[in-house]
Amino acid sequence: MRRVAAALAAALLCASGAVAVSEPGPQQAVIDGDTMPRKLSEFGLFRVGTSEPVGGLLPYTLHTPLFSDYAEKHRLIWIPPGQHAEVADDGAIAFPLGTVIVKSFGWPDRAGGAPLETRLLIHRADGWAALPYIWDADGKDATLALAGRRVPVTFRSPDGEAHSIRYAVPNKNQCKECHSKAGAIVPIGPKAANIDFGAAAARGDVARFLTGPARPVAPMPRWDDPASGSLHDRARAYLDANCSYCHNPEGSASNSGLFLRWTDPVGVNYGIGKRPTAAGRGSGGMEFAIKPGDPDHSFLIYRLESLDPGIAMPEIGRSTVHREGVALLRQWIAEMPKGA
């Protein structure tokens, strides 16, 4: 983990390493415009007739990602030549106009691993625009789905269990529900503490896209890797990735008073001994979001284990329970000293 962090820090501070962009490539006029193209291919982000990205986009993963029905996600960033994202000392990343953040969703045992949908987050002059695209049956292009869609999907989770769900592709307004900060759409996944550029960092490619920070940003652990951090820190990383985009003072769940960012202090506002506020029946009649030593009477667990639309958290983005993630949080709460 330290070697990866060091490689990332070195790449962020490197002054060279430009990447040649093959032609045809990203269509900056379309990216910068105010249209919502019907077909994904109009952006020039993928090779013609395929779901393979063109050269010049920066691939990345996250140490701890958002759970989305066990879907595998392929993430990319495009920043116009000559522009850079600025990484602040606290790890926040400010992306320039013309940036596109690309995320494709699919399952290894569905359609040969081909993506089902690709979401774009585009930084335009009037703010960030979120556009969901569903891949056509032939896999050669994807079509804009502003109204979202429910798509039947069958797959197996890592434990081998078969799942058949109606996977939810979000509509444009639902994108804003999660990607909201003080009422404006913003990126939520890419931040220096959670982003991992892998081989691209070792090659120096990252310097084509990002500058800074002045000092290395300590990485968050991987929620499912005990070697990357303590149980406490891995639980906090999971809550940051899966909950904090709404549960922060400027998010859509600010009225709950439950703030679950990686940087938030672990106290009452983090849920420890916190009584329900604006939870409705989501509290399940329980007294506390997190009751130390007692996961069965912690309504944070109750909501993560529910599929009831009026109870389940997160409210959108999943049709299954992330058993492995819940098991981590159960263990974390169970090992808290009672009365803490």
Side-chain angles (χ1 to χ4, degrees):
M1 180 62 65
R2 288 176 180 170
R3 288 196 297 270
V4 172
L8 173 57
L12 291 174
L13 293 169
C14 181
S16 61
V19 178
V21 180
S22 59
E23 293 295 334
Q27 301 299 300
Q28 201 63 50
V30 177
I31 292 169
D32 293 337
D34 58 2
T35 63
M36 294 183 289
R38 181 174 176 272
K39 305 300 283 189
L40 181 61
S41 58
E42 295 181 48
F43 290 100
L45 301 168
F46 295 88
R47 298 190 186 280
V48 176
T50 76
S51 57
E52 179 185 352
V54 298
L57 279 77
L58 179 66
Y60 71 97
T61 60
L62 300 177
H63 295 296
T64 292
L66 171 70
F67 172 73
S68 304
D69 289 327
Y70 293 102
E72 287 191 350
K73 302 170 189 176
H74 296 277
R75 301 172 175 87
L76 303 158
I77 296 173
W78 166 256
I79 293 177
Q83 300 292 318
H84 290 83
E86 299 286 341
V87 185
D89 286 348
D90 65 358
I93 303 177
F95 292 97
L97 295 178
T99 296
V100 185
I101 298 174
V102 184
K103 184 164 62 173
S104 296
F105 297 69
W107 292 262
D109 56 351
R110 176 199 170 274
L116 185 155
E117 65 157 327
T118 293
R119 301 177 193 174
L120 304 183
L121 202 57
I122 308 170
H123 198 188
R124 290 173 162 171
D126 58 352
W128 287 90
L131 299 178
Y133 286 83
I134 298 175
W135 283 87
D136 301 338
D138 61 9
K140 294 182 178 181
D141 206 343
T143 303
L144 183 64
L146 289 179
R149 191 178 304 171
R150 287 278 182 175
V151 182
V153 174
T154 298
F155 62 91
R156 290 188 180 275
S157 52
D159 62 3
E161 182 181 354
H163 299 264
S164 292
I165 65 171
R166 290 181 61 79
Y167 174 77
V169 177
N171 63 47
K172 194 172 185 297
N173 289 331
Q174 287 173 320
C175 292
K176 185 174 182 179
E177 212 172 297
C178 293
H179 287 268
S180 179
K181 182 177 181 180
I185 293 180
V186 296
I188 56 176
K191 48 190 174 185
N194 201 23
I195 203 165
D196 183 356
F197 293 111
R203 291 194 304 266
D205 294 350
V206 181
R208 148 78 175 83
F209 294 86
L210 297 104
T211 59
R215 56 181 180 272
V217 176
M220 288 165 49
R222 298 182 186 276
W223 73 273
D224 58 350
D225 180 8
S228 71
S230 66
L231 171 63
H232 175 75
D233 284 348
R234 289 184 292 118
R236 289 177 61 238
Y238 187 89
L239 292 172
D240 181 278
N242 287 272
C243 309
S244 73
Y245 50 87
C246 288
H247 283 279
N248 68 79
E250 296 182 287
S252 59
S254 61
N255 65 333
S256 70
L258 181 64
F259 305 139
L260 298 172
R261 296 167 297 183
W262 172 249
T263 53
D264 283 318
V266 181
V268 173
N269 284 110
Y270 202 80
I272 312 294
K274 184 182 185 307
R275 297 185 184 277
T277 303
R281 63 190 184 94
S283 69
M286 301 177 196
E287 287 188 276
F288 306 112
I290 296 173
K291 185 176 182 180
D294 193 351
D296 285 333
H297 291 92
S298 299
F299 67 78
L300 181 145
I301 297 295
Y302 172 68
R303 303 196 77 166
L304 287 170
E305 290 183 332
S306 177
L307 293 177
D308 185 318
I311 298 171
M313 283 288 174
E315 292 181 327
I316 60 174
R318 69 174 179 91
S319 300
T320 53
V321 174
H322 190 199
R323 293 179 180 176
E324 298 82 359
V326 172
L328 173 78
L329 296 177
R330 277 185 162 276
Q331 182 185 356
W332 173 56
I333 295 172
E335 293 187 12
M336 289 181 184
K338 291 186 177 181

